[in-house]
Amino acid sequence: MKLSRRVMIGLALLGSLSPLLGSCQARGSAKGVPVGISQSDQNVQLLQAVQNGDLAKVQALLKAGASAKAAADSGRTALTWATKGDHVAVARALIAAGADPDPQDDQRSNALLVTGETGSVAMLREVLKAIPDLTRTNRYGGTALIPAADRGHLPYVREILKTTRIKVNHVNNLGWTALLEAVILGDGGPTHTEIVRELLAHGADRKIADRDGVTPLQHARQRGYGAMVKLLEK
C-alpha cells in the first residue's frame, strides 16, 4: 500500500515525539504524580503531602508545577502545615521553591509564629532563611518569642534572641511581655528561670508591669519563685 506524502510526514513527526512523550509520562508516574492534572489539583495534593511529611511527593509536585505558596481554604499555607508537623526537610524544599513565610491563616498562625509554639530550633532556622516578618502577631497579639517563653522552650528562646532582632519588650493583647509570661505562666523551675535570665540579658524591661500594675518581680515574689526573684532584683 502506497502512503501519501502527508501521512508519511505525520508518522515521522509522531515517531520523533513519542520518545519525549514516553519520557514525560515515565517521570510523572515514577513519582506518583498524575500527568496533566491542573495546578489547583496539584496544590491540593501538595498540601496533603506536606501534612504527611512526604518529602519525595512534595518535591515531585513542586517539579510538576504545584505552587510552593499553596494554601488551604482556611488560609493555612503549605509552609505553615510543615512547621506544624515539624517536617524540616519539607519546609526547606518549600522555601527553596519560593514559599512565603508571612501569610496568616484564620487563626492568625503562620510559619514563624508556629515555631514559637512548637519550640523547634531546627524549624526556626529554616523559616528564618525565608526572611519572615518578625512583627507578625498571633491571635493573642504576641510575637513568636512570647509563647516560646511561657511554654519553657529555652533553646528556642536563646536561638531567636541570638539570631534576630525580635522585640523583646513587645506587649500582647493581655498586656504581657515575654518576661511577664515566663513568670506568670511558667512554673518557677530551672528552665523558666533560665528563660528569664536570657530575656533580661537581651534587654527585657523588668519595670514593665501588667494591666494591674504588677511587675515581673512582684509576680515572682507572690509565687515564691526565689531564683527568679534574685534575677529580677538585680
Side-chain angles (χ1 to χ4, degrees):
M1 180 178 65
K2 193 171 183 178
L3 300 176
S4 69
R5 177 179 174 81
R6 180 176 295 179
V7 172
M8 291 177 67
I9 292 173
L11 290 172
L13 287 172
L14 182 60
S16 65
L17 288 173
S18 59
L20 178 60
L21 292 172
S23 174
C24 291
Q25 290 174 345
R27 285 198 299 271
S29 60
K31 295 294 185 179
V33 179
V35 175
I37 66 172
S38 68
Q39 186 184 57
S40 177
D41 288 338
Q42 289 175 340
N43 290 347
V44 170
Q45 291 188 25
L46 178 71
L47 291 171
Q48 187 60 58
V50 168
Q51 291 176 61
N52 294 337
D54 189 339
L55 177 60
K57 186 70 174 290
V58 168
Q59 291 173 324
L61 284 162
L62 290 172
K63 187 175 181 180
S67 173
K69 298 179 181 180
D73 291 341
S74 65
R76 180 163 295 174
T77 65
L79 184 55
T80 301
W81 277 118
T83 57
K84 279 280 188 182
D86 201 27
H87 302 307
V88 177
V90 170
R92 186 181 302 121
L94 291 169
I95 290 168
D100 185 346
D102 293 332
Q104 294 174 261
D105 60 25
D106 58 7
Q107 295 182 17
R108 294 193 58 75
S109 292
N110 70 10
L112 179 64
L113 293 169
V114 168
T115 65
E117 298 171 4
T118 65
S120 173
V121 173
M123 185 62 79
L124 170 65
R125 289 171 178 163
E126 292 301 325
V127 173
L128 289 179
K129 293 176 183 177
I131 319 296
D133 181 355
L134 300 175
T135 67
R136 294 292 178 105
T137 57
N138 58 27
R139 61 188 181 278
Y140 302 111
T143 62
L145 176 63
I146 293 180
D150 78 56
R151 297 183 186 198
H153 298 319
L154 177 57
Y156 181 97
V157 169
R158 285 174 171 159
E159 185 72 14
I160 199 168
L161 288 173
K162 178 179 69 176
T163 59
T164 74
R165 294 184 178 181
I166 196 163
K167 292 183 178 179
V168 71
N169 290 312
H170 175 83
V171 179
N172 66 14
N173 294 342
L174 300 174
W176 294 346
T177 61
L179 183 58
L180 278 163
E181 291 225 358
V183 177
I184 296 171
L185 299 180
D187 60 8
T191 297
H192 281 96
T193 299
E194 284 304 306
I195 287 175
V196 168
R197 189 191 306 277
E198 288 290 332
L199 292 170
L200 292 171
H202 286 83
D205 188 346
R206 68 194 74 203
K207 295 180 182 178
I208 297 178
D210 63 20
R211 289 177 178 170
D212 295 319
V214 183
T215 65
L217 174 58
Q218 291 170 321
H219 277 291
R221 283 174 174 164
Q222 290 171 5
R223 289 163 172 74
Y225 296 162
M228 284 187 181
V229 169
K230 291 180 180 178
L231 288 174
L232 294 164
E233 284 180 334
K234 292 181 180 178

